[in-house]
C-alpha cells in the first residue's frame, strides 16, 4: 500500500553523510550533477513525461543550491541531484495550482517523491532567510539541510520544518464519518484532519480534532498510513478510529458539514462516480487511501 | 498502553475556539486563572507532589502569557491555565538536566502532559522572537498558539513547531537490534531514532535511519506508539520493523555501537537489572514501551 501513496515513494538516496562534508559535496558539483528544472516552484515535465533535469550550468548564478541526493546505483554510476532556491522565490508563498496538479498527474511515483521533497526544501529556504532567534540573516549550510545564523553572537542552527498532521476516518455501526471544508469542490467529503500540537500524542491529536470539528468522542485510534505532503511540508499521518455515539456537532468555523456514510455509499464514491452520496477524495490524497483501506477490511 | 507513556496523557482541554477570540480570552484572564509556576523552564513541584500553580498576579509584568487550556469540567467549574514566557528565557536554550528528570519523576501522567506541552510552547516563544521570512520582530498572537510578524509589509504568521521523529526497533530471528549513542550512560542501549525529513513517509524515514545508522535493510514497518517529547518539541513515532540480514555496519558519527539482543536479554534488562547484557531505556522514553510491546508479542 505504501508505494501507491503519492509522494511517499523513495526518490533518491539522500546520502546524509555527504551533506556535512564540504569537500565531498564540492566534488559532486561537477558536470555529471543534475539540476531539477523548476518553473518557479512547480515541476517542469520532460518530453518523456518525467521530471526535466538540466546541469548546474543552468542554475542562476545568484541561487543557493540544495543537494537532493544521489540517483542511480553504485558510487561510479550514481549522479548527484540538486535544486536551486531561485532569487525570484525568496520570501514568496506558492500555493498549489491547477496547472501543478495536472503536471503531477504525469509523474511516476519516484519522480513525484523527488519533486515533493525538493519542493518542500526549496520552499523552506525561500521563506527562512532570517534567524527566528535573533533576526539576522541566515545562510544555507550542509547542502541545504540546514540554515545557519550569520550573527556570530547567535550562531543558531535551523533545520527544514516538517509539520505532523493527523487525518482520520471514524467508524460507528459500519458507517464512516466524513466532513467537508469550505474550500472543497462541491459535494466532496473527506477525512477530518488537523495539525498535531506541542504536547500531544498522535492518538491525543486524533481525538481532539474529531471532538473539536464534529463533536464526536473517538476511541481505539489505529494508525493506517502516512504521506509526505509538500504544501508546504506536512507529514500526513492517516488513522482510523471508532465512536459509540454518532451525534454530530460541527465546528462551523472549520467545516461546512460532516455526515455519516454507509459502506455502499463510500464504495460507490470510490469508483470515481460523481452521482453518488458524495464525491470521494482524489487518489493523490492519503484520505483516499484511508477510505480504500476501510473498504478492504 | 497509551496512557502509560510519559507526556502522552491529555492534560487540559486545549479550548482551541477561545485562542482566536480576543474578547473571550481577555475575559478568562481574571482572578480564577492559574499561572503555571516555572523555575526558568523547569517545573516547580507543589507540597502535594503536583505541579505548582499561582495566579496571574505572579506573572512578570513584562512577560508574554500563553493560554494552555481549561482545567476541570463544565464552563463554570473550569479554570483557565496560563504559562509565562519570562524575559529571562528569551533567546536561551535550556537542555534537560538531572534536577528536571527528578522533578518529573514525581508528577502524575496528567501533570506531566500539562508540563510537557507548556515547556514546548514557552521554549518556542523564547526562541522565535523574529520573523524567519523578513527578520522583523514578531509578537504573540492567538493566546500563544501563533506569532505574527510586526512588519506590515510581511504579516507572516508563524506556528509552534512540532518535529516528527521516528524511533524504531528491528527484529530478526527473534532478536532485537538496539544501538547506543555516545551521549548515553554506560551500557545503555536503546532504539535507533532520527528526524523525519521533508519528502519522507514514516515508513521511508524508518528504513533510511536503520540503513544509515546500522547498515540494516528494514522491511514490514509497523506503527506501535507515539509520544510528545518536549526537548524541545518532538513527536516521537515508535515503530517496529523486520530485516532478513543481521549484518551490522554502524555509522560511527551517530553511534558508539549497535548489537542484536535475545528476547531473554531484553526481558532481563527491562526488569531494571543493571547486570545483564545491557541497560534498558528508562520508563520515560517511548523506546522503553517499544521493548515492552515486543516482549508482550
Amino acid at each position: 500500500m505504501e508505494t501507491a501513496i503519492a509522494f511517499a515513494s523513495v526518490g533518491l538516496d539522500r546520502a546524509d553523510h555527504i551533506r556535512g562534508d564540504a569537500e565531498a559535496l564540492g566534488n559532486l558539483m561537477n558536470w555529471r550533477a543534475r539540476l531539477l528544472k523548476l518553473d518557479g516552484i512547480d515541476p517542469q515535465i520532460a518530453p518523456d513525461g518525467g521530471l526535466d533535469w538540466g546541469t548546474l550550468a543552468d542554475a542562476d548564478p545568484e541561487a543557493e543550491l540544495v543537494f537532493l541526493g544521489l540517483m542511480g546505483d553504485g558510487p561510479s554510476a550514481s549522479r548527484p541531484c540538486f535544486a536551486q532556491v531561485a532569487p525570484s522565490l525568496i520570501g514568496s508563498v506558492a500555493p498549489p495550482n491547477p496547472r501543478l496538479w495536472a503536471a503531477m498527474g504525469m509523474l511516476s511515483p519516484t519522480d513525484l517523491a523527488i519533486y515533493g521533497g525538493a519542493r518542500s526544501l526549496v520552499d523552506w529556504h525561500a521563506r527562512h532567510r532570517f534567524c527566528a532567534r535573533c533576526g539576522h540573516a541566515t545562510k544555507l549550510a550542509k547542502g541545504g539541510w540546514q540554515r545557519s545564523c550569520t550573527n556570530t553572537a547567535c550562531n543558531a542552527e535551523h533545520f527544514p520544518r516538517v509539520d505532523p498532521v493527523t487525518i482520520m476516518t471514524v467508524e460507528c455501526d459500519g458507517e464512516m464519518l466524513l466532513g467537508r471544508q469550505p474550500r472543497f469542490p462541491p459535494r466532496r467529503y473527506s477525512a477530518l484532519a488537523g495539525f498535531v500540537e506541542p504536547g500531544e500524542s498522535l492518538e491525543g491529536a486524533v481525538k481532539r480534532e474529531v471532538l473539536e470539528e464534529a463533536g464526536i468522542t473517538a476511541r481505539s485510534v489505529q494508525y493506517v498510513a502516512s504521506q509526505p505532503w509538500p504544501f508546504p511540508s506536512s507529514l500526513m499521518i492517516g488513522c482510523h478510529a471508532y465512536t459509540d455515539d454518532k451525534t454530530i456537532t460541527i465546528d462551523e468555523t472549520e467545516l461546512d458539514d460532516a455526515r455519516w456514510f454507509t459502506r455502499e455509499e463510500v464504495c460507490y464514491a470510490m469508483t470515481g462516480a460523481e452521482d453518488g452520496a458524495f464525491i470521494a477524495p482524489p487518489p493523490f490524497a492519503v484520505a483516499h487511501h484511508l477510505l480504500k483501506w476501510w473498504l478492504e477490511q
Side-chain angles (χ1 to χ4, degrees), chain A:
Chain A
M1 178 164 167
E2 199 177 316
T3 51
I5 298 178
F7 304 109
S9 297
V10 173
L12 300 169
D13 171 1
R14 292 171 175 248
D16 169 72
H17 59 284
I18 291 174
R19 297 174 186 169
D21 183 339
E23 190 180 338
L25 194 59
N27 288 340
L28 291 182
M29 299 176 78
N30 58 25
W31 60 272
R32 297 187 70 245
R34 309 180 83 187
L35 180 77
L36 181 65
K37 285 194 177 178
L38 294 173
D39 179 9
I41 202 166
D42 293 338
Q44 289 191 29
I45 307 296
D48 68 358
L51 288 172
D52 204 6
W53 296 89
T55 71
L56 295 189
D58 299 317
D60 185 315
E62 304 293 310
E64 292 176 336
L65 292 177
V66 302
F67 173 58
L68 301 176
L70 300 173
M71 180 181 289
D73 290 330
S76 62
S78 68
R79 297 183 69 175
C81 297
F82 293 84
Q84 67 171 335
V85 187
S88 61
L89 292 172
I90 303 298
S92 69
V93 177
N97 58 63
R99 202 164 48 90
L100 170 65
W101 296 116
M104 288 190 332
M106 297 182 215
L107 297 175
S108 69
T110 305
D111 271 359
L112 207 49
I114 294 170
Y115 170 68
R119 180 183 173 107
S120 286
L121 200 53
V122 166
D123 177 82
W124 178 76
H125 282 284
R127 292 187 297 109
H128 290 77
R129 314 304 296 176
F130 297 91
C131 177
R133 189 168 160 206
C134 80
H136 282 65
T138 56
K139 64 177 180 192
L140 180 145
K142 295 198 174 166
W145 295 87
Q146 183 178 311
R147 294 193 72 83
S148 303
C149 183
T150 56
N151 170 11
T152 52
C154 176
N155 283 329
E157 297 175 342
H158 302 278
F159 302 96
R161 181 168 171 143
V162 175
D163 296 309
V165 174
T166 51
I167 177 161
M168 70 293 289
T169 47
V170 185
E171 177 173 349
C172 187
D173 298 337
E175 296 190 352
M176 176 174 269
L177 176 72
L178 298 173
R180 52 172 283 112
Q181 297 176 23
R183 65 176 177 81
F184 282 4
R187 307 189 53 250
R188 160 80 48 79
Y189 281 75
S190 187
L192 305 183
F195 289 97
V196 180
E197 295 188 344
E200 280 187 321
S201 68
L202 197 47
E203 294 76 9
V206 166
K207 291 178 184 174
R208 178 183 53 74
E209 284 292 341
V210 174
L211 188 62
E212 273 178 17
E213 296 197 359
I216 298 281
T217 301
R219 62 169 170 80
S220 311
V221 177
Q222 65 184 105
Y223 169 82
V224 177
S226 69
Q227 176 190 42
W229 187 244
F231 310 107
S233 188
S234 294
L235 173 66
M236 307 299 292
I237 307 173
C239 295
H240 186 72
Y242 295 82
T243 186
D244 301 310
D245 183 346
K246 292 170 80 168
T247 314
I248 293 171
T249 309
I250 67 163
D251 174 356
E252 294 179 350
T253 63
E254 296 274 346
L255 295 180
D256 267 356
D257 191 23
R259 284 172 53 192
W260 291 96
F261 294 94
T262 64
R263 187 170 285 267
E264 287 73 17
E265 288 169 334
V266 172
C267 186
Y268 186 67
M270 284 291 283
T271 64
E274 302 201 344
D275 62 345
F278 72 106
I279 295 173
F284 273 144
V286 74
H288 184 93
H289 294 267
L290 287 173
L291 270 59
K292 187 164 164 242
W293 174 87
W294 185 63
L295 291 175
E296 288 165 358
Q297 298 303 300

